[in-house]
Amino acid sequence: SVKQQGRNNYQVYTPAIGNNAQERLQLEHNLYKALEREEFVLYYQPQISLQTGEIISMEALLRWHSGELGWIPPAQFIPLAEESTLINSIGEWVVQEACRQIGEWHSLNLPPIQISVNLSARQFQDKKLLSKIARILKNTNINSSYLELEITETIAMQDMDLTIAILNNFRKLGIQIAIDDFGTGYSSLSSLKHFPIDKLKIDRSFVRELTIGSQDAAIVKAIIALGQGLNLEVTAEGIETEEQLDFLRSVNCDFGQGYFLSYPLPVEAAQKLLKKHRLIQFKSA
Ligand code: C2E
Ligand code: MG
Ligand code: MG
Ligand code: MG
């Protein structure tokens, strides 16, 4: 469909492969080769300030273009990679590439922005993760506050004491932390105050049916109030319409991300946007 094309814009995904055992095996086999064949790329989706319309960060979203299978979406290959230690080497590549990109944009004198990188559960449990990231930061020589790591609420809640310890170590390195897909997991509110985090990302399921007076509007307002009370920044994900954007601005949500603002973009297009810096000119800004 047109909408589907619009969504993927720069890549046409191969329709549902990996459904039967043989396809799955083939997928897995190709995934093992993907790193050395340099088949991964990062796409970048802007997050903007809902006050000024300026781009404040880019979320790095992994794309796999398999020579044999075509474009495979992350929802198909990341769960597979997570079943083995493969996710650790793929994840390390993502951090390396994101940090290299931060350095490159910096050297091109583009407006300073963060890049955020998603971490999977298995990576988060990897005892060497901290030292790997520390080494990448050292080698790429970037200011670590430009790197943000996203972990989902579900990952954060698995072992709270461990999570707090790991997050504190990231913090000591100067890295920012966001809780992704917030509202869909089972965080107790009391646990949240113990997490050394910087940002909550409201899951897009609450944004989808945001209309004034709706239940989702009440939830979104509550999360924003929670963020303000705990001194956390709040990003709304999945903004697809102007109405959603207007609502989120009216309730003082800090940041927004979604197809209405920008699709995830290949690096050249993301860089072009960064030069413009301001993604939207708000009438009142
Ligand atoms: P996520 O971290 O919650 O990323 C947001 C997802 O929502 C992305 O899907 C993005 O393309 C999509 N999205 C953005 N705006 C809109 C919108 O307005 N409407 C809708 N319907 N969707 C929107 P994508 O790129 O397919 O990634 C899916 C998930 O795969 C990510 O969810 C993240 O959990 C995971 N992922 C992506 N890249 C990586 C990575 O490098 N490492 C790990 N571990 N996971 C990753
Ligand atoms: Mg994310
Ligand atoms: Mg998310
Ligand atoms: Mg997610």
Side-chain angles (χ1 to χ4, degrees), residues 150 180-181 203 237:
E150 297 189 4
D180 204 357
D181 304 345
D203 191 71
E237 296 190 283

Side-chain angles (χ1 to χ4, degrees), residues 62-94:
L62 188 58
R63 299 289 179 260
W64 175 26
H65 187 238
S66 159
E68 279 157 47
L69 306 169
W71 288 102
I72 319 284
Q76 274 187 31
F77 71 83
I78 287 176
L80 198 62
E82 271 181 54
E83 286 171 20
S84 67
T85 56
L86 198 53
I87 191 64
N88 295 319
S89 35
I90 295 175
E92 194 178 348
W93 179 86
V94 175

Side-chain angles (χ1 to χ4, degrees), residues 15 27 32 49 68 89 100 124 166 184-185 197 209 251-252 256:
L27 193 66
Y32 267 98
S49 158
E68 279 157 47
S89 35
R100 190 199 61 73
F124 195 67
I166 295 172
T184 57
I197 55 176
E209 282 150 50
V251 294
N252 293 319

Side-chain angles (χ1 to χ4, degrees), residues 1-2 26 65 79 88-89 91 128 143 150 156 194 215 271:
S1 72
V2 172
Q26 200 194 7
H65 187 238
N88 295 319
S89 35
K128 293 195 183 120
N143 181 333
E150 297 189 4
H194 297 298
Q215 288 182 322
Q271 195 164 308

Side-chain angles (χ1 to χ4, degrees), residues 45 59 61-63 74 78 94 118-120 123 150 180-181 204 237-240 258-259 264:
Q45 188 178 35
E59 179 171 4
L61 293 163
L62 188 58
R63 299 289 179 260
I78 287 176
V94 175
N118 294 284
L119 288 186
S120 76
Q123 277 176 280
E150 297 189 4
D180 204 357
D181 304 345
R204 66 167 189 262
E237 296 190 283
I239 302 174
E240 294 186 355
Y259 295 162

